[in-house]
Amino acid sequence: MSDIYEVNRETFDEVMLPNYAPLAEIPVRGDGSRVWDQHGREYIDFAGGIAVNCLGHCHPALNKALREQSERLWHVSNIWTNEPALRLAKKLVEATFADKVFFCNSGAEANEAALKLARRYAFEKFSADKDQIIAFKKSFHGRTFFTVTAGGQPAYSDGFGPKPSGIEHAEYNDLASLAALISDKTCAVILEPMLGEGGVLPAEKAFLEGVQALCKKHQALLIFDEVQTGFGRTGDLYMYQGLGVTPDILSTAKSLGGGFPIGAILTSDEVGKYLKFGSHGTTYGGNPLACAVAEAAFDIVNQADVLAGVKTRELEFRQALDEINQKHQVFSEIRGAGLLLGAVLKEKYQGQAREFVMAAGEQGLMCLVAGANVVRFAPSLIVESQDIAEGMKRFEKAVARVLAADKV
Ligand SMILES: *Cc1c(COP(=O)(O)O)cnc(C)c1O
């Protein structure tokens, strides 16, 4: 595609705000689990656009849905409803605990809606001072001011003036620390069933059961942020389904659109009825293009063999990582679930996750960090075995490079 402007990485510094620091290469094309940059260099993609591209790049069924919908109807706003949104909502309701769905455009917006709904529910059903929200340290819920304040990393919410109040933080996987904070003034507890950004750390089942029991005792809503764990990522459509702990509100985004921006909250009639007419909204949310793509993604992801395939691929990943570790002794643990896996660096390599990810890039492999000590893998849910094998070969070379550089 040629134009009057030749753009490259320097163009970013010229015209984009500096809140991101993108890598030197600019991807221009993707196909399945492979990506090519401006110079024709090929990468294997184990990052998935940060756990988003659940069916890889340019999946034919998603392309078809997008193309067909783009020739029919793009946008009408929520003054009218639309067929793709209604079909997608029906499918999500049928496949989960939920009776009702609200669509938006991102994970942060989904959590924003979840928290506002919880506040409104408590305000109308109980009293104006049942407004406390409890979240967890090291968690991540998005970057709007409400959700970033709920997230457990003050570095992300400091320096923007007065924060939304009424939010407190307990220790993840520590029921006693929640028990010390929760009371009848609590309207909601929000958590990720597995910390994503916070290090790919699964919640313990007993912890989740305890959280749910405390919520019930204090009539607080339990919100699961499944923006990263959801939509097939862990081998269940939503992670809660494999845990046996059902939330009152669930937020979903990332993989839901397979690369097209969409988010949603799922909830029961009993809770959802408090998001009354006019109480909340978004112009783009649930627009026909996004919903058509998400519906096509749903039709593929929510198949027993595709979900089972996530678990077999998990084993392939774990085995390859174990082999790398036997050779190089770099990881203390491989943790996570399904195709959201974290290789935790040993004490000796603490703080170096970014070095491993950069070295992987040089070998033609895209992967992610999750904090400073964990290398994160969030590939396509249908990544092919040969791509896993080739990607791991490249990752091993990257590991060897980092270790060699460490020695000099
Ligand atoms: C990515 C993420 C979000 C934020 O989603 P955006 O689409 O970036 O707003 C929220 N919660 C979790 C658990 C996430 O991983």
Side-chain angles (χ1 to χ4, degrees), residues 50 105-109 111 140-143 192 194 196-197 225-229 251 253-254 376:
I50 316 190
N105 311 289
S106 68
E109 277 177 83
N111 287 322
F140 183 77
H141 299 301
R143 298 283 201 152
E192 299 163 79
M194 169 160 73
E197 301 304 308
D225 176 349
E226 290 229 36
V227 170
Q228 191 154 162
T229 55
S251 57
K254 289 205 166 98
R376 173 174 37 158

Short mmCIF file of all heavy atoms in Angstrom, two decimals, residues 50 105-109 111 140-143 192 194 196-197 225-229 251 253-254 376, ligand 1:
data_model
loop_
_atom_site.label_atom_id
_atom_site.label_comp_id
_atom_site.label_asym_id
_atom_site.label_seq_id
_atom_site.Cartn_x
_atom_site.Cartn_y
_atom_site.Cartn_z
N ILE A 50 -1.76 -9.61 22.69
CA ILE A 50 -2.09 -9.67 24.12
C ILE A 50 -3.40 -10.43 24.35
O ILE A 50 -4.42 -9.87 24.75
CB ILE A 50 -2.13 -8.28 24.82
CG1 ILE A 50 -0.94 -7.42 24.38
CG2 ILE A 50 -2.13 -8.47 26.34
CD1 ILE A 50 -0.76 -6.14 25.19
N ASN A 105 -16.92 -1.66 24.12
CA ASN A 105 -15.84 -1.75 23.12
C ASN A 105 -14.50 -2.25 23.63
O ASN A 105 -13.57 -2.38 22.85
CB ASN A 105 -15.62 -0.38 22.48
CG ASN A 105 -16.93 0.23 22.04
OD1 ASN A 105 -17.55 -0.23 21.09
ND2 ASN A 105 -17.39 1.24 22.75
N SER A 106 -14.38 -2.47 24.92
CA SER A 106 -13.08 -2.84 25.47
C SER A 106 -13.26 -3.47 26.85
O SER A 106 -14.36 -3.43 27.43
CB SER A 106 -12.19 -1.59 25.61
OG SER A 106 -12.73 -0.75 26.61
N GLY A 107 -12.14 -3.99 27.36
CA GLY A 107 -12.17 -4.58 28.68
C GLY A 107 -12.40 -3.56 29.77
O GLY A 107 -13.15 -3.79 30.72
N ALA A 108 -11.73 -2.42 29.65
CA ALA A 108 -11.90 -1.38 30.65
C ALA A 108 -13.36 -0.93 30.71
O ALA A 108 -13.92 -0.77 31.79
CB ALA A 108 -11.00 -0.18 30.33
N GLU A 109 -13.95 -0.74 29.56
CA GLU A 109 -15.36 -0.33 29.54
C GLU A 109 -16.27 -1.41 30.14
O GLU A 109 -17.29 -1.08 30.75
CB GLU A 109 -15.81 -0.07 28.10
CG GLU A 109 -15.46 1.30 27.59
CD GLU A 109 -15.89 1.41 26.14
OE1 GLU A 109 -17.06 1.70 25.88
OE2 GLU A 109 -15.05 1.17 25.27
N ASN A 111 -15.43 -3.51 32.55
CA ASN A 111 -15.29 -3.43 34.00
C ASN A 111 -15.91 -2.16 34.56
O ASN A 111 -16.48 -2.17 35.66
CB ASN A 111 -13.81 -3.53 34.39
CG ASN A 111 -13.28 -4.93 34.21
OD1 ASN A 111 -13.99 -5.91 34.48
ND2 ASN A 111 -12.06 -5.06 33.73
N PHE A 140 -5.32 -6.29 37.40
CA PHE A 140 -5.43 -5.29 36.34
C PHE A 140 -6.85 -5.32 35.77
O PHE A 140 -7.35 -6.37 35.41
CB PHE A 140 -4.42 -5.57 35.22
CG PHE A 140 -4.44 -4.52 34.14
CD1 PHE A 140 -3.84 -3.28 34.34
CD2 PHE A 140 -5.10 -4.75 32.94
CE1 PHE A 140 -3.88 -2.30 33.35
CE2 PHE A 140 -5.15 -3.77 31.95
CZ PHE A 140 -4.53 -2.54 32.16
N HIS A 141 -7.48 -4.14 35.72
CA HIS A 141 -8.86 -4.10 35.23
C HIS A 141 -9.08 -3.08 34.13
O HIS A 141 -10.23 -2.83 33.74
CB HIS A 141 -9.82 -3.83 36.40
CG HIS A 141 -9.76 -4.88 37.47
ND1 HIS A 141 -10.05 -6.21 37.21
CD2 HIS A 141 -9.44 -4.82 38.78
CE1 HIS A 141 -9.90 -6.91 38.34
NE2 HIS A 141 -9.53 -6.09 39.31
N GLY A 142 -8.02 -2.46 33.62
CA GLY A 142 -8.18 -1.50 32.54
C GLY A 142 -7.65 -0.13 32.94
O GLY A 142 -7.11 0.04 34.04
N ARG A 143 -7.83 0.84 32.04
CA ARG A 143 -7.17 2.13 32.23
C ARG A 143 -8.11 3.32 32.37
O ARG A 143 -7.65 4.46 32.36
CB ARG A 143 -6.21 2.39 31.07
CG ARG A 143 -5.09 1.37 30.97
CD ARG A 143 -4.01 1.61 31.98
NE ARG A 143 -2.77 0.96 31.56
CZ ARG A 143 -1.56 1.37 31.88
NH1 ARG A 143 -1.41 2.41 32.66
NH2 ARG A 143 -0.50 0.73 31.46
N GLU A 192 -9.79 -11.13 39.03
CA GLU A 192 -9.48 -11.99 37.89
C GLU A 192 -9.32 -13.41 38.45
O GLU A 192 -8.55 -13.60 39.40
CB GLU A 192 -8.14 -11.59 37.26
CG GLU A 192 -8.08 -10.19 36.71
CD GLU A 192 -6.62 -9.75 36.49
OE1 GLU A 192 -6.03 -10.16 35.48
OE2 GLU A 192 -6.08 -9.03 37.34
N MET A 194 -7.67 -15.61 37.27
CA MET A 194 -6.23 -15.84 37.17
C MET A 194 -5.63 -14.48 36.83
O MET A 194 -6.08 -13.84 35.87
CB MET A 194 -5.92 -16.86 36.08
CG MET A 194 -4.46 -16.98 35.72
SD MET A 194 -4.06 -18.54 34.89
CE MET A 194 -4.79 -18.30 33.28
N GLY A 196 -3.66 -11.93 35.04
CA GLY A 196 -3.04 -11.93 33.73
C GLY A 196 -1.80 -11.06 33.74
O GLY A 196 -0.67 -11.56 33.86
N GLU A 197 -2.00 -9.75 33.67
CA GLU A 197 -0.88 -8.81 33.69
C GLU A 197 -0.04 -9.01 34.95
O GLU A 197 1.17 -8.81 34.93
CB GLU A 197 -1.39 -7.37 33.65
CG GLU A 197 -2.25 -7.02 32.45
CD GLU A 197 -1.56 -7.27 31.13
OE1 GLU A 197 -0.43 -6.79 30.97
OE2 GLU A 197 -2.14 -7.96 30.28
N ASP A 225 -13.48 -10.61 36.46
CA ASP A 225 -12.91 -9.98 35.28
C ASP A 225 -12.28 -11.09 34.44
O ASP A 225 -11.18 -11.56 34.75
CB ASP A 225 -11.88 -8.94 35.71
CG ASP A 225 -11.17 -8.30 34.51
OD1 ASP A 225 -11.32 -8.81 33.38
OD2 ASP A 225 -10.46 -7.31 34.73
N GLU A 226 -13.00 -11.51 33.42
CA GLU A 226 -12.49 -12.57 32.52
C GLU A 226 -12.08 -11.99 31.17
O GLU A 226 -12.15 -12.65 30.15
CB GLU A 226 -13.55 -13.67 32.36
CG GLU A 226 -13.76 -14.49 33.62
CD GLU A 226 -13.72 -15.99 33.34
OE1 GLU A 226 -12.94 -16.42 32.48
OE2 GLU A 226 -14.50 -16.71 34.00
N VAL A 227 -11.65 -10.74 31.22
CA VAL A 227 -11.22 -10.08 29.97
C VAL A 227 -10.06 -10.86 29.33
O VAL A 227 -10.01 -11.04 28.12
CB VAL A 227 -10.82 -8.62 30.24
CG1 VAL A 227 -10.13 -8.00 29.03
CG2 VAL A 227 -12.06 -7.80 30.62
N GLN A 228 -9.15 -11.37 30.17
CA GLN A 228 -8.01 -12.11 29.63
C GLN A 228 -8.22 -13.62 29.67
O GLN A 228 -7.79 -14.34 28.79
CB GLN A 228 -6.73 -11.73 30.39
CG GLN A 228 -5.49 -12.25 29.73
CD GLN A 228 -4.22 -11.45 30.03
OE1 GLN A 228 -3.13 -11.93 29.84
NE2 GLN A 228 -4.35 -10.23 30.49
N THR A 229 -8.90 -14.11 30.72
CA THR A 229 -9.06 -15.56 30.88
C THR A 229 -10.21 -16.12 30.06
O THR A 229 -10.33 -17.34 29.91
CB THR A 229 -9.32 -15.92 32.36
OG1 THR A 229 -10.46 -15.17 32.81
CG2 THR A 229 -8.13 -15.60 33.23
N SER A 251 -17.05 -9.89 33.22
CA SER A 251 -16.65 -9.00 32.13
C SER A 251 -15.79 -9.77 31.14
O SER A 251 -15.01 -10.64 31.52
CB SER A 251 -15.90 -7.79 32.67
OG SER A 251 -14.76 -8.20 33.42
N ALA A 253 -13.76 -9.38 27.09
CA ALA A 253 -13.34 -8.54 25.95
C ALA A 253 -12.23 -9.30 25.24
O ALA A 253 -12.40 -10.48 24.95
CB ALA A 253 -12.89 -7.15 26.40
N LYS A 254 -11.09 -8.67 25.00
CA LYS A 254 -9.93 -9.30 24.34
C LYS A 254 -10.35 -10.37 23.31
O LYS A 254 -10.76 -10.01 22.23
CB LYS A 254 -8.96 -9.85 25.39
CG LYS A 254 -8.23 -8.71 26.13
CD LYS A 254 -6.89 -9.14 26.72
CE LYS A 254 -6.07 -7.93 27.13
NZ LYS A 254 -6.13 -7.59 28.54
N ARG A 376 5.24 -14.45 29.22
CA ARG A 376 3.85 -14.90 29.03
C ARG A 376 3.60 -15.33 27.59
O ARG A 376 4.06 -14.70 26.66
CB ARG A 376 2.91 -13.75 29.42
CG ARG A 376 1.43 -14.02 29.12
CD ARG A 376 0.52 -12.90 29.65
NE ARG A 376 1.08 -11.56 29.52
CZ ARG A 376 0.35 -10.45 29.49
NH1 ARG A 376 -0.96 -10.52 29.61
NH2 ARG A 376 0.93 -9.27 29.37
C1 LIG B 1 -6.53 -6.28 29.17
C2 LIG B 1 -7.33 -6.36 30.40
C3 LIG B 1 -8.27 -5.36 30.74
C4 LIG B 1 -8.41 -4.10 29.94
O1 LIG B 1 -8.92 -4.34 28.68
P1 LIG B 1 -8.82 -3.17 27.57
O2 LIG B 1 -9.52 -3.76 26.39
O3 LIG B 1 -7.37 -2.91 27.36
O4 LIG B 1 -9.51 -1.99 28.12
C5 LIG B 1 -9.02 -5.55 31.87
N1 LIG B 1 -8.90 -6.64 32.63
C6 LIG B 1 -8.02 -7.62 32.34
C7 LIG B 1 -7.94 -8.83 33.21
C8 LIG B 1 -7.19 -7.51 31.23
O5 LIG B 1 -6.30 -8.47 30.96
#
